[in-house]
Amino acid sequence: MSVPRPVVPLVLLAAGFAAADCAAGEGATEAVPGVRWESALSAEALGWSSRDLAEVRKTVESMGSAAFMIVTRGKVVAAWGDTSKTFLTHSIRKSFLSALMGIAVAGGQLDTGATLAALGIDEKKTPLTAAERQARVADLMRARSGIYLAAAGEVESMRIDRPARRSHPAGTHWYYNNWDFNALGTIYRRSTGEDIFQAINTRIAGPIGMQDFRPTEGEYYFEEPSEHPGFIFRISARDLARFGVLYLNRGRWGERVVIPGSWVDASVRSYSVTSGPSRSAAGFSGYGFMWWIQTEAVAHPEFRIPDGTFTAAGAGGQYLTVIPQIETVIVNLMNTDQGLGSGGPEWDSILGLILAARLR
């Protein structure tokens, strides 16, 4: 479905972001975990029903979850499975790349209004057209590049749903596009000179105290015919929950601004109504800067998922959901080393079951 090109600021000025977000962070006392996670005195103390959460646990374990967490106001409400073991992220990688892009923009290393032509991004075996090279970094961030080429790491639904080449100008049509995401990885590396996995380690994992992340567990992979590699890394549930708390707190970790709050706000705002087989592993109705956004809560009251909830989702049942309205982060990881796990639409139902455990 084609819709008008969204009007958003494309050139994010680093000085303005830094000043505004540092000022907002002064004296901040957001609830964040310390060196080690702290558990709530009771589920009820943070607004949850222990009895209902016991039913949630049965459902989560029955679907084969390897690690699961619910965190409210920085404290662990529930944790099951091995939350310290690292598992493949799959497409959760994209939300981490979004964070790195925001940091690079704030540091003056990247301009979201830059075109692929200006950045020298192309495909050697299938050269981009002049029109395709006018796609901007911001268009790729929102999966609206208008470039419909094969890419590394595509699943079958992406191939089936891919529009015909040249069918939509840049910025006018949403399509969940691995070409966009992989090209953004290339853009990040060229613009900053940084390896993605080392950047995650120094710019995110270190500042927020991740305990299990290892850059050496990251991998780039190429597939014909694209010159832009996919990439994947491993993460534990307790470290992924920290990333969720970071976004819940608009990029701040205590007194420290890790990601500009303005970037977080822009990232978790919906620019597109998602549709088609690649709509979303989580079934959410909107898409931001490589985050899935809930925008149609009224259409599905049975799930109780409030608008503004946002999710990083990966194939096989990897999920990080942030629900700002109740200051809560929910993580589920599957052991996809043993094959892909839970399918996507189930996550809506599981979130509904979880949210039914909230005390009224």
Side-chain angles (χ1 to χ4, degrees):
M1 178 178 70
S2 295
V3 298
R5 197 171 198 171
V7 177
V8 294
L10 295 177
V11 182
L12 304 177
L13 301 177
F17 263 109
D21 289 307
C22 287
E26 292 177 1
T29 57
E30 292 87 354
V32 299
V35 176
R36 304 291 177 186
W37 282 97
E38 180 182 347
S39 295
L41 294 176
S42 69
E44 283 72 15
L46 289 176
W48 296 89
S49 163
S50 299
R51 182 187 62 187
D52 292 341
L53 287 176
E55 294 303 311
V56 172
R57 179 171 187 170
K58 291 178 184 177
T59 299
V60 167
E61 291 180 343
S62 70
M63 74 180 192
S65 176
F68 181 89
M69 291 181 71
I70 300 174
V71 174
T72 297
R73 297 175 205 146
K75 293 186 178 180
V76 179
V77 173
W80 309 312
D82 190 344
T83 61
S84 65
K85 180 177 174 61
T86 60
F87 299 97
L88 291 172
T89 51
H90 298 286
S91 286
I92 285 177
R93 70 184 176 106
K94 297 160 188 173
S95 300
F96 274 83
L97 179 58
S98 176
L100 291 179
M101 300 288 279
I103 295 169
V105 167
Q109 296 172 295
L110 186 61
D111 174 1
T112 60
T115 65
L116 298 188
L119 294 169
I121 298 297
D122 209 332
E123 281 285 13
K124 292 179 180 177
K125 294 188 177 180
T126 313
L128 300 183
T129 66
E132 288 171 336
R133 288 196 292 271
Q134 292 309 303
R136 303 160 300 179
V137 172
D139 295 323
L140 274 65
M141 293 286 300
R142 296 182 304 231
R144 301 175 71 94
S145 72
I147 301 170
Y148 306 128
L149 298 173
E154 288 184 321
V155 296
E156 186 63 20
S157 63
M158 291 179 181
R159 290 187 285 271
I160 292 172
D161 207 29
R162 181 162 44 234
R165 194 173 181 191
R166 305 179 183 87
S167 57
H168 301 284
T172 64
H173 180 78
W174 179 86
Y175 158 67
Y176 188 66
N177 191 358
N178 260 24
W179 194 92
D180 291 4
F181 309 135
N182 295 346
L184 284 169
T186 298
I187 290 168
Y188 179 83
R189 295 194 307 277
R190 290 184 184 178
S191 298
T192 65
E194 298 176 352
D195 170 76
I196 289 173
F197 312 118
Q198 288 293 344
I200 291 172
N201 191 49
T202 58
R203 296 186 178 277
I204 299 173
I208 68 175
M210 287 188 181
Q211 298 167 266
D212 312 303
F213 180 80
R214 301 290 181 271
T216 53
E217 291 189 316
E219 176 185 1
Y220 299 99
Y221 57 93
F222 290 87
E223 293 179 18
E224 293 291 342
S226 180
E227 65 183 76
H228 304 293
F231 61 93
I232 197 167
F233 56 94
R234 305 179 75 91
I235 199 161
S236 66
R238 64 184 182 180
D239 283 353
L240 188 54
R242 283 180 182 264
F243 186 60
V245 171
L246 176 65
Y247 264 75
L248 179 64
N249 290 335
R250 296 184 62 249
R252 293 195 295 270
W253 199 260
E255 301 291 337
R256 181 172 183 173
V257 176
V258 179
I259 307 167
S262 313
W263 182 266
V264 173
D265 292 344
S267 299
V268 300
R269 166 189 171 188
S270 176
Y271 302 101
S272 304
V273 176
T274 60
S275 61
S278 61
R279 172 183 172 181
S280 165
F284 282 11
S285 49
Y287 200 71
F289 285 175
M290 293 189 277
W291 286 88
W292 299 97
I293 318 298
Q294 174 62 286
T295 62
E296 297 179 354
V298 67
H300 297 283
E302 70 276 16
F303 294 137
R304 307 176 179 85
I305 305 169
D307 284 346
T309 297
F310 52 96
T311 289
Q318 316 301 56
Y319 295 111
L320 163 64
T321 291
V322 180
I323 311 176
Q325 289 86 339
I326 57 172
E327 301 174 85
T328 292
V329 170
I330 302 169
V331 169
N332 183 74
L333 291 174
M334 310 290 285
N335 185 358
T336 59
D337 293 315
Q338 299 177 351
L340 293 182
S342 171
E346 294 179 20
W347 189 239
D348 283 341
S349 298
I350 292 166
L351 286 178
L353 182 64
I354 293 167
L355 291 171
R358 287 286 295 173
L359 296 172
R360 297 296 184 267

